[in-house]
Amino acid sequence: QLAESGGGLVQTGGSLRLSCVGSGDTVSTYIMAWFRQAPGKKREFVGTVGRTGGDIVYADSVKGRFTIIREVIEDTVHLQMSSLKPEDTAIYYCAAGRFLSIVPEPYDYWGQGTQVTVSS
């Protein structure tokens, strides 16, 4: 029910914009979140946004560099990433859930992920 797009290869300091599109009314109904997972590491919280576009929470590691934008009418959530660093390299996933959480387990729906690679 969720599909991410927008990943790719970018140099350090560059920017990327990821998008997550939901089927039906998934995005407009649920709390949305972004997570990422680097090779050999656990899935890591990036940020979350409430149903109306407010209540945005970011991980400390991305605060000030990443922005979550919720397009209610388009049923889409974007993750605008700037000042990218090599340590941001990971597969990025969007998730939908009924409760705000910084751990992945409570989320009900997940996209397939999109690869982001930041070269040094």
Side-chain angles (χ1 to χ4, degrees):
Q1 293 190 333
L2 298 174
E4 305 94 338
S5 63
L9 174 64
V10 64
Q11 292 185 334
T12 296
S15 299
L16 278 176
R17 182 180 177 100
L18 307 183
S19 298
C20 174
V21 179
S23 61
D25 59 354
T26 304
V27 173
S28 61
T29 301
Y30 290 86
I31 291 170
M32 300 299 297
W34 287 93
F35 285 80
R36 65 187 182 185
Q37 189 165 17
K41 295 188 177 181
K42 293 182 179 180
R43 196 161 292 192
E44 175 189 26
F45 172 75
V46 174
T48 184
V49 58
R51 293 179 177 86
T52 60
D55 298 324
I56 298 176
V57 177
Y58 296 102
D60 288 343
S61 59
V62 306
K63 200 173 295 183
R65 301 187 299 120
F66 290 12
T67 303
I68 294 177
I69 304 163
R70 184 167 196 151
E71 304 278 4
V72 176
I73 294 177
E74 297 178 4
D75 206 33
T76 301
V77 175
H78 304 285
L79 180 66
Q80 179 67 47
M81 306 184 294
S82 60
S83 301
L84 283 162
K85 306 173 182 179
E87 51 263 44
D88 294 318
T89 296
I91 298 174
Y92 283 71
Y93 299 89
C94 67
R98 291 164 290 171
F99 309 103
L100 190 155
S101 175
I102 63 171
V103 298
E105 286 79 9
Y107 289 90
D108 300 307
Y109 302 103
W110 291 85
Q112 80 288 351
T114 185
Q115 176 71 47
V116 171
T117 303
V118 184
S119 63
S120 57

